[in-house]
Amino acid sequence: MKVSGRKTGSALSHAPDNWYAVDWRRVERNVRGMQIRIAKATREGKWRRVKALQRMLTRTLSAKLYAVRRVTQNQGARTAGVDRELWDSPESRRLAVGRLKRRGYKPLPLRRVFIPKANGKERPLGIPTMLDRAMQALYLLALEPVAESASDPNSYGFRQNRSTADAMAQIRVCMSQKDSSQWVLEADIKGCFDYLSHTWMERNVPMDTVILRKWLKAGLIYKGELQATEAGAPQGGIISPTLANVTLNGLERELEKHLGAKFGIAKAKKLKVNVVRYADDFVITGVSKEVLENEVRPWVEAFLAVRGLQLSEEKTHITHIDQGFDFLGWNFRKYSGKMLMKPSKKSVKTFYRKVAEAISGNKTVKQEDLIRLLNPMLRGWAEYHHRVSAKRTFSRMEHLVHQRLWRWAKRRHPQKGADWVRKKYFHSVGERNWVFGVPVVNEDGSRRLLELYSLSGTAIKYPTKIKGEYNPFDPQWEQYGEQLRQKRMWERVRHRKQLGKLFMSQSGLCAFCGCALTLETGWHDHHLVYRMHGGTDALSNRVLLHPYCHQQVHAGNLVVTKPVPG
């Protein structure tokens, strides 16, 4: 990568005069170096050193720049807190860096909002101010290496390079064989985020206790009234998922130690107790119902009670694998001894209702607009479920969507015959008939058929589970983590052929700063020679940049050259 008109190699000793002059590669290198040191001290059990390194990191300019960038580049950047302040200009972001100070810091109350849940109920969220979000992002940089180094191997929620697919794959490992566990405890924590014990967190979360207490006691404002927060960690903050993870860490390791101490290591292994957790949702397998009911569940209830939590009596069950159970939108069940994982009935019904409402609510829009509305919904749902045995479900759902679209098309032309409607809205593509599509004109003047995403054409591919011991802040896992990141990013972009080719040609790195392109950072498609200057849309004239790097390039009138592969 070559860049013209850009200063590199300068030390970050003072705040930049221009937000676009920040050397983000150096920022990320400085932050990651400190995080690696914190993780190493954690693994060695040197807690005084951990605390000293965390304090050092939260005071560095690099960490503050990184924190401000994170909260101003994510999707929530356009949502204000109770002070109605947004950092939507380069100057406001530059000035915000100087406001991230521990001394005199006092968080404002959270703004309470409610968002709909899949079951029709509402989920409460607490929206912090931009300053409080940035402070959370800053202290999360110091907390995350500790949390990762102390996490349970089979905890998969809100952790780097881990996903629901990994949790699903681990359940398959634990329950798919003939001699595997046959029983499972489906656990549901009652209002996890609402009842987390402040006292326990202040004593056990490895971060600045004074700052943590201020966040926990900040309160909420709802309908103009201030409400005190005596328990819980409000959903909506950047650091909240990690706080919940830290609180539940030990569920797997400590249960294993408990059973080993009570029954002996050899006998404990024969009980085949395995914990698989994603955030606050978890299942525990066992060799028998009695083991889960008499040994595991009482221990879990005691473990949670110390943290101010309890299991929901209505939603916590012990189930045999032959009857099946739902977890993370999938159904796990053995049919005649064979383990199959399918999209759950609840997930299918919820998705179909969403698609049906989108079609019925857009009766008069153009066919092109309807396809562009539906395609992300269909592709997103298929991408989530293509890791399980969903072929039959995909075909059934495609048939139901087709019926809806046929009614949508016929309603628009009540005076026309069925054959006329079919020819206008449906096409034949290769061996596929009745393809819902419309001819569109590309930017270069060529024509193509814009098709509705084909659910039945989605390939089924079981995932390879991440290694439980993987630690993104341990240098010995660096190569494994990079390969994993590129592989999983490729899975996200592969259906967009040109984007996928650019991503692979750049080895998944930004062509400007050389840092990783991730789902969190996002990316922009940059033309090396601007189209207004005669540049084309050819891949040879395009590169992928971080959004903030793209802004720097345009603001500084910089030139980026095509990176050389390899």
Side-chain angles (χ1 to χ4, degrees):
M1 183 269 293
K2 296 181 180 179
V3 182
S4 299
R6 177 181 181 222
K7 294 181 180 180
T8 59
S10 57
L12 292 172
S13 57
H14 57 83
D17 297 328
N18 184 344
W19 179 256
Y20 292 132
V22 177
D23 185 347
W24 290 113
R25 187 172 188 175
R26 178 176 289 275
V27 165
E28 292 198 19
R29 186 166 60 245
N30 291 347
V31 170
R32 180 158 180 80
M34 288 293 295
Q35 288 180 317
I36 289 173
R37 293 171 64 188
I38 293 171
K40 182 175 184 291
T42 302
R43 293 192 301 274
E44 295 172 350
K46 299 178 179 179
W47 295 106
R48 292 185 64 180
R49 180 164 177 77
V50 168
K51 189 174 181 179
L53 290 170
Q54 286 182 316
R55 183 169 60 249
M56 190 185 306
L57 175 59
T58 56
R59 293 179 179 180
T60 63
L61 175 60
S62 291
K64 293 178 180 180
L65 286 165
Y66 194 103
V68 171
R69 188 189 75 184
R70 177 170 181 177
V71 300
T72 55
Q73 295 289 342
N74 61 19
Q75 292 182 343
R78 295 185 295 274
T79 304
V82 294
D83 61 355
R84 302 296 176 183
E85 181 182 0
L86 290 176
W87 297 342
D88 52 4
S89 69
E91 183 63 14
S92 62
R93 295 168 191 170
R94 184 185 70 82
L95 295 175
V97 173
R99 297 170 60 187
L100 302 186
K101 297 179 180 178
R102 183 180 187 274
R103 178 174 295 181
Y105 170 65
K106 184 177 181 181
L108 292 176
L110 306 171
R111 181 164 68 90
R112 172 69 89 191
V113 297
F114 292 88
I115 60 173
K117 296 171 63 176
N119 59 8
K121 297 181 180 180
E122 291 184 321
R123 184 189 305 278
L125 292 182
I127 308 299
T129 64
M130 292 299 295
L131 177 60
D132 295 335
R133 264 177 265 178
M135 286 292 284
Q136 287 188 19
L138 176 62
Y139 280 84
L140 177 59
L141 292 174
L143 174 62
E144 201 170 19
V146 186
E148 280 289 341
S149 301
S151 287
D152 291 327
N154 293 301
S155 163
Y156 298 100
F158 303 106
R159 295 178 62 189
Q160 290 187 30
N161 283 333
R162 294 179 183 241
S163 66
T164 53
D166 293 308
M168 178 268 291
Q170 177 62 16
I171 293 176
R172 187 181 66 197
V173 169
C174 296
M175 306 194 75
S176 62
Q177 303 300 319
K178 287 184 178 180
D179 59 347
S180 296
S181 305
Q182 298 297 304
W183 292 86
V184 63
L185 171 65
E186 304 174 66
D188 184 272
I189 300 176
K190 186 177 181 180
C192 178
F193 282 90
D194 297 329
Y195 298 107
L196 288 171
S197 169
H198 287 183
T199 301
W200 189 93
M201 285 196 287
E202 289 173 14
R203 291 176 179 173
N204 294 277
V205 175
M207 66 167 290
D208 190 315
T209 306
V210 174
I211 295 294
L212 177 60
R213 184 183 299 116
K214 287 181 178 182
W215 287 336
L216 296 176
K217 303 297 183 183
L220 298 160
I221 288 184
Y222 181 58
K223 294 183 177 180
E225 295 184 1
L226 177 63
Q227 302 174 359
T229 48
E230 300 301 330
Q235 299 182 63
I238 288 177
I239 204 171
S240 296
T242 303
L243 291 178
N245 266 341
V246 171
T247 304
L248 295 175
N249 274 342
L251 184 64
E252 180 181 358
R253 284 195 171 104
E254 291 183 25
L255 176 57
E256 184 180 334
K257 290 180 181 178
H258 165 74
L259 294 175
K262 184 171 183 178
F263 298 102
I265 296 177
K267 187 176 180 180
K269 287 184 177 179
K270 293 180 180 179
L271 299 179
K272 298 176 181 177
V273 173
N274 299 282
V275 180
V276 181
R277 179 168 69 85
Y278 187 89
D280 59 331
D281 294 326
F282 63 93
V283 296
I284 304 178
T285 69
V287 72
S288 68
K289 184 177 182 180
E290 290 71 28
V291 167
L292 294 176
E293 201 167 58
N294 301 328
E295 296 295 338
V296 174
R297 179 166 179 170
W299 183 90
V300 171
E301 289 175 340
F303 176 88
L304 295 176
V306 175
R307 293 153 174 78
L309 304 173
Q310 60 180 335
L311 294 176
S312 169
E313 291 294 334
E314 300 79 18
K315 298 179 181 179
T316 300
H317 311 284
I318 297 177
T319 310
H320 194 275
I321 189 61
D322 289 346
Q323 275 69 56
F325 64 94
D326 290 348
F327 186 59
L328 301 176
W330 295 304
N331 179 261
F332 300 79
R333 184 177 176 183
K334 275 190 174 180
Y335 298 83
S336 302
K338 183 179 180 180
M339 178 85 156
L340 287 181
M341 296 153 291
K342 303 177 180 179
S344 67
K345 291 182 179 179
K346 180 180 177 182
S347 175
V348 172
K349 289 180 180 179
T350 301
F351 175 70
Y352 177 66
R353 189 184 310 117
K354 180 180 178 182
V355 173
E357 289 174 355
I359 295 173
S360 61
N362 291 275
K363 295 184 177 70
T364 60
V365 302
K366 295 180 180 179
Q367 184 183 11
E368 178 182 345
D369 295 335
L370 181 63
I371 292 175
R372 295 190 187 280
L373 173 67
L374 294 178
N375 273 356
M377 298 166 56
L378 296 171
R379 179 179 286 112
W381 189 74
E383 287 292 319
Y384 184 80
H385 291 293
H386 85 291
R387 299 298 197 177
V388 299
S389 303
K391 203 70 176 178
R392 185 175 297 178
T393 304
F394 287 165
S395 296
R396 174 61 178 165
M397 183 60 62
E398 189 165 80
H399 175 68
L400 294 174
V401 173
H402 168 80
Q403 288 183 322
R404 282 278 180 174
L405 292 172
W406 177 245
R407 290 198 293 269
W408 176 88
K410 287 183 65 178
R411 180 187 178 279
R412 295 163 71 91
H413 306 281
Q415 306 301 321
K416 298 291 186 179
D419 191 56
W420 185 93
V421 174
R422 182 186 65 80
K423 290 180 179 179
K424 178 173 177 60
Y425 292 101
F426 296 88
H427 304 265
S428 294
V429 179
E431 297 181 355
R432 298 165 54 215
N433 298 317
W434 290 88
V435 176
F436 190 72
V438 59
V440 296
V441 179
N442 294 322
E443 292 183 359
D444 59 2
S446 61
R447 295 178 66 83
R448 66 183 176 90
L449 184 68
L450 177 64
E451 304 176 26
L452 187 73
Y453 180 80
S454 173
L455 290 173
S456 62
T458 305
I460 304 299
K461 184 179 180 182
Y462 287 105
T464 301
K465 188 183 79 71
I466 191 173
K467 295 181 180 179
E469 304 80 18
Y470 167 67
N471 185 340
F473 301 104
D474 187 344
Q476 71 173 347
W477 290 98
E478 184 80 27
Q479 185 176 1
Y480 174 81
E482 182 60 23
Q483 292 173 347
L484 192 67
R485 181 191 67 80
Q486 289 195 32
K487 179 182 177 182
R488 297 193 169 182
M489 276 293 295
W490 165 247
E491 291 171 355
R492 293 297 188 99
V493 302
R494 71 183 191 282
H495 62 275
R496 298 166 63 180
K497 294 183 179 179
Q498 292 193 345
L499 177 61
K501 288 180 180 179
L502 288 174
F503 181 83
M504 293 304 292
S505 70
Q506 297 176 205
S507 300
L509 304 177
C510 172
F512 180 72
C513 70
C515 297
L517 296 165
T518 67
L519 292 175
E520 182 182 336
T521 63
W523 54 82
H524 283 175
D525 191 344
H526 172 70
H527 287 72
L528 302 177
V529 178
Y530 299 168
R531 282 175 291 184
M532 62 184 295
H533 296 153
T536 69
D537 285 328
L539 292 179
S540 59
N541 189 46
R542 292 156 58 191
V543 291
L544 298 179
L545 308 177
H546 291 125
Y548 43 88
C549 290
H550 201 196
Q551 293 170 354
Q552 281 186 293
V553 169
H554 283 274
N557 196 27
L558 306 179
V559 176
V560 182
T561 60
K562 191 78 173 178
V564 178

